[in-house]
Amino acid sequence: MSSVTNKQPTPDSSEIDFGRLLGELIDHRKLIVSVTSLFILLALIYAIFATPVYQTDALIQVEQKQGNSILSNLSQMLPDSQPQSAPEIALLQSRMILGKTVDDLNLQAYVVQDYFPIFGRGWARLSGEAPGQLEISRLYLPKNKDGDVPLIKLNVLDDKHYVIDYQGGTINGKVGELIEEQGISIKVNNIDASKGTKFNIYYISRLEAITDLKEKFKVADQGKDTGMLTLSLIGYDPSLIKKILDNISSNYLTQNIARQAAQDAKSLDFLDEQLPKVRTDLDLAENKLNQFRQKSDSVDLSLEAKSVLDQIVNVDNQLNQLTFRESEISQLYTKEHPTYKALLEKRKTLLDEKSKLNKRVSNMPVTQQEILRLNRDVESGRAVYMMLLNRQQELSIAKSSAIGNVRIIDNAVTQPKPIKPQKSIIIIIGVLLGIIVSVGIVLIRVFLRRGIETPEQLEELGINVYASIPVSESLAKTASRNAGWRRKNVKDDYEFLALENPADLAIESIRGLRTSLHFAMMESRNNVLMISGASPNAGKTFVSSNLSAVIAQAGKKVLYVDTDMRKGYAHKLFKTNNENGLSDILSGKIDVQNAVKIIDGAGFDFISRGILPPNPAELLMHRRFGELVNWASQNYDIVILDTPPILAVTDPAIIGHYAGTTLLVARFETNTAKEIDVSVKRFEHSGVIVKGCILNGVVKKASSYYGYGYSHYGYSYSDKNNTN
């Protein structure tokens, strides 16, 4: 019966082992450091070579309009009135203001100095090379057949002459002269660049220039109802963005003055028309009052009538003021606006009050009624006339000054240090990205890895693990020396570890395997041990050869047979010839005694694979192989058969029928648990019982330590003599 039993995986086998993940990160620390360093280097290169972005700032104050004091007083009582800076911010960002700036500075002509791609601009800046300046006052480029505006290249000859490359031809130009050739129109006002400097000149539409400027231009209100606006503009050229922001501020101030002067002029025109009419009505009312007094013998008013007259005059004055307010409000709001509705309600209240006073007057004597009516007309007309006269004087003063309600507090100033790139932040981002990417690579490798990492993975499948053999330190050092580009100049140099370094930890683990095999083979039908595996390069020859030497050191008579007649290399390991080997015995060319070779220093006998035969499997099925095994079993204490992998060829299944004990060798992190399980089942289908498995090439890893692996429990020899 097979010693391999199937077991169900533990319930927590699919859970994430955070301790193991931490160990994996420690094991891959070189990878993490390398990837993080690469990202830091890239971030540093970007921070050094990236074109700096500068910012210029300006401060503007928008004062409350003095001419609309009546309207302002009314709007202050309303809770839904918007801040006075809101329309000004929208006006600053409008196409009217920005478009005028585009036209004034000819921003439709987009000039870029031609540098070497990617690193050219940064290298020029680091080397202290000043960027060239090209001032273009006029530019027109016709569209091509595709509807796109072509690119032209300008090559500087000297500070006065240049050459334009356009559609395969050249155009010579001079500073200050207008060029109109081949459908293009260009005028260069100034050149401040060294000889040989090249510029790429684009022509963009007015809307594109305005949109591009709007994206870089920002307006911020420093506080509600403060009227202080901060203007900011970002760009690569410090002098250009300062010039642009100053132009925007100037254009905004100019339009504000023009708007204020136009409003005052229209109001003055209206007052000039109304004042003569009001004056004429006032003169007529005074004449009527004087005539009636003369006719009625100067009837004086009683105190009651005087009070009623004052009230009527006061109501008329308020109605007249509301008329002026309505004329101003109607220019800004509709009748559905809350401000307009409040004004209409107040007018209705005053009219109701006026009707009540008129009823009181109707109850008075006829003479007093007429005197009250005439006095009311005179006083109301006088009040209206004085109001209009004062308003005319105010508007005349405002128009003559014409300073508007905007003033520039701080002109545009470019900050000396660039706002971008922020080197510290870029480096921090590089560090974070490096850590994230490297850790991601490690986690992907961990989750995609299916190799055997701990003996528990095999034990969960019911496969006994007889030994965990660590990687030999001496062999690892030799492999690292011969790795890389030097490998092509180094011949295959096989080392027999049992003789070269018997104190190695791998040999110590094989000594433990010897002890385990002693008890495992006590129930076997013979003393023949077959060692196989699932795949090549698992370490079958390494385990077999060194196990033979270790058993021989214990005083046993051992025969080691290399049964891999296809790719066996044990003769190279022992530095013997490959003549008179196993293939020759099975072919009947020689006797067994003539094929046995004695390995000096190791203490065991050896039969090599022999000359490569065309039919290894057929030779193994011959009766001579059985006779060889029986002879070896009778003449030796233990016979070790080194076989090829079971998943590659069928040779181990044939040899296994002659062996009393069969072991598989699994490579750490190379072979999967599924491969070993399939190999065991393959042997079982052939009638061969597999005792267990040997885990070879175990690496001492932090993940194994945190996962409670076996690789951290062991001793090593030291040259120091410890004394108590």
Side-chain angles (χ1 to χ4, degrees), residues 165-225:
D165 296 332
Y166 178 68
Q167 293 184 351
T170 60
I171 302 174
N172 296 319
K174 187 177 181 181
V175 174
E177 295 181 356
L178 178 64
I179 298 176
E180 293 181 344
E181 295 183 18
Q182 300 183 16
I184 69 173
S185 178
I186 184 172
K187 183 180 180 182
V188 179
N189 290 343
N190 185 32
I191 296 178
D192 186 9
S194 59
K195 181 181 179 181
T197 304
K198 296 181 179 180
F199 294 91
N200 296 325
I201 302 176
Y202 307 85
Y203 183 81
I204 60 178
S205 64
R206 189 171 184 271
L207 182 59
E208 290 177 340
I210 294 173
T211 304
D212 183 61
L213 181 59
K214 191 175 182 179
E215 292 177 354
K216 302 175 182 178
F217 177 61
K218 298 292 183 281
V219 183
D221 193 355
Q222 289 193 351
K224 185 179 180 182
D225 297 331

Side-chain angles (χ1 to χ4, degrees), residues 155-410:
N155 189 7
V156 178
L157 300 179
D158 52 44
D159 57 350
K160 296 295 183 181
H161 300 85
Y162 57 88
V163 176
I164 296 176
D165 296 332
Y166 178 68
Q167 293 184 351
T170 60
I171 302 174
N172 296 319
K174 187 177 181 181
V175 174
E177 295 181 356
L178 178 64
I179 298 176
E180 293 181 344
E181 295 183 18
Q182 300 183 16
I184 69 173
S185 178
I186 184 172
K187 183 180 180 182
V188 179
N189 290 343
N190 185 32
I191 296 178
D192 186 9
S194 59
K195 181 181 179 181
T197 304
K198 296 181 179 180
F199 294 91
N200 296 325
I201 302 176
Y202 307 85
Y203 183 81
I204 60 178
S205 64
R206 189 171 184 271
L207 182 59
E208 290 177 340
I210 294 173
T211 304
D212 183 61
L213 181 59
K214 191 175 182 179
E215 292 177 354
K216 302 175 182 178
F217 177 61
K218 298 292 183 281
V219 183
D221 193 355
Q222 289 193 351
K224 185 179 180 182
D225 297 331
T226 59
M228 304 299 292
L229 303 179
T230 301
L231 281 60
S232 60
L233 182 66
I234 60 175
Y236 298 112
D237 192 344
S239 59
L240 180 59
I241 61 175
K242 178 180 179 299
K243 187 186 299 183
I244 293 174
L245 192 60
D246 278 333
N247 190 270
I248 293 174
S249 303
S250 178
N251 291 337
Y252 175 64
L253 178 62
T254 302
Q255 69 82 28
N256 181 266
I257 294 174
R259 182 177 59 177
Q260 186 67 36
Q263 184 178 356
D264 294 339
K266 290 183 179 181
S267 299
L268 278 174
D269 294 340
F270 175 76
L271 292 178
D272 290 338
E273 294 178 359
Q274 294 297 322
L275 276 173
K277 296 179 182 180
V278 174
R279 182 64 184 177
T280 302
D281 294 339
L282 178 59
D283 293 339
L284 292 175
E286 289 179 346
N287 293 333
K288 289 181 181 180
L289 177 60
N290 294 331
Q291 292 176 3
F292 186 79
R293 284 183 178 274
Q294 293 176 3
K295 185 178 179 181
S296 302
D297 297 328
S298 302
V299 179
D300 295 329
L301 296 176
S302 63
L303 293 176
E304 182 183 0
K306 184 68 174 175
S307 175
V308 173
L309 177 61
D310 293 339
Q311 294 179 21
I312 293 174
V313 172
N314 186 27
V315 171
D316 287 339
N317 291 336
Q318 294 185 37
L319 288 173
N320 292 329
Q321 291 179 1
L322 286 181
T323 302
F324 285 109
R325 294 181 187 178
E326 186 177 1
S327 65
E328 294 179 350
I329 291 178
S330 63
Q331 301 176 6
L332 302 175
Y333 309 117
T334 62
K335 291 186 178 182
E336 301 299 326
H337 196 274
T339 303
Y340 211 128
K341 286 184 177 181
L343 187 143
L344 295 177
E345 290 177 359
K346 190 173 182 180
R347 173 186 285 277
K348 182 180 178 182
T349 303
L350 292 175
L351 291 175
D352 293 340
E353 183 68 22
K354 185 177 180 180
S355 64
K356 292 179 181 179
L357 293 174
N358 289 332
K359 289 181 181 180
R360 292 179 61 182
V361 172
S362 62
N363 295 328
M364 296 181 181
V366 179
T367 305
Q368 288 190 351
Q369 290 183 23
E370 186 66 19
I371 292 178
L372 280 175
R373 185 181 65 81
L374 295 175
N375 279 324
R376 180 196 63 191
D377 294 340
V378 173
E379 294 296 332
S380 298
R382 186 179 289 115
V384 171
Y385 181 76
M386 294 302 298
M387 186 184 300
L388 293 176
L389 191 61
N390 292 333
R391 183 62 176 159
Q392 186 186 35
Q393 293 177 354
E394 293 176 0
L395 291 175
S396 297
I397 296 173
K399 183 181 178 182
S400 61
S401 58
I403 60 174
N405 63 323
V406 174
R407 63 172 179 165
I408 301 175
I409 305 300
D410 294 332

Side-chain angles (χ1 to χ4, degrees), residues 7-27:
K7 295 182 180 180
Q8 296 294 328
T10 57
D12 59 345
S13 60
S14 61
E15 297 180 357
I16 298 176
D17 190 350
F18 292 99
R20 179 171 169 266
L21 292 180
L22 177 61
E24 291 289 347
L25 296 179
I26 297 174
D27 293 329

Side-chain angles (χ1 to χ4, degrees), residues 516-526 661 691:
S516 301
L517 285 176
H518 174 74
F519 297 100
M521 296 181 67
M522 292 177 65
E523 301 178 357
S524 302
R525 56 188 174 93
N526 57 26
T661 305
K691 276 287 185 178

Side-chain angles (χ1 to χ4, degrees), residues 98-110:
L98 299 183
K100 192 174 186 308
T101 300
V102 170
D103 297 336
D104 294 341
L105 301 179
N106 194 25
L107 298 181
Q108 291 180 251
Y110 197 70

Side-chain angles (χ1 to χ4, degrees), residues 16-56:
I16 298 176
D17 190 350
F18 292 99
R20 179 171 169 266
L21 292 180
L22 177 61
E24 291 289 347
L25 296 179
I26 297 174
D27 293 329
H28 293 82
R29 57 187 179 274
K30 293 183 178 179
L31 173 64
I32 295 175
V33 172
S34 300
V35 174
T36 305
S37 301
L38 176 62
F39 274 83
I40 293 175
L41 179 62
L42 294 177
L44 188 61
I45 293 174
Y46 173 77
I48 293 175
F49 286 92
T51 304
V53 178
Y54 296 89
Q55 179 176 337
T56 182

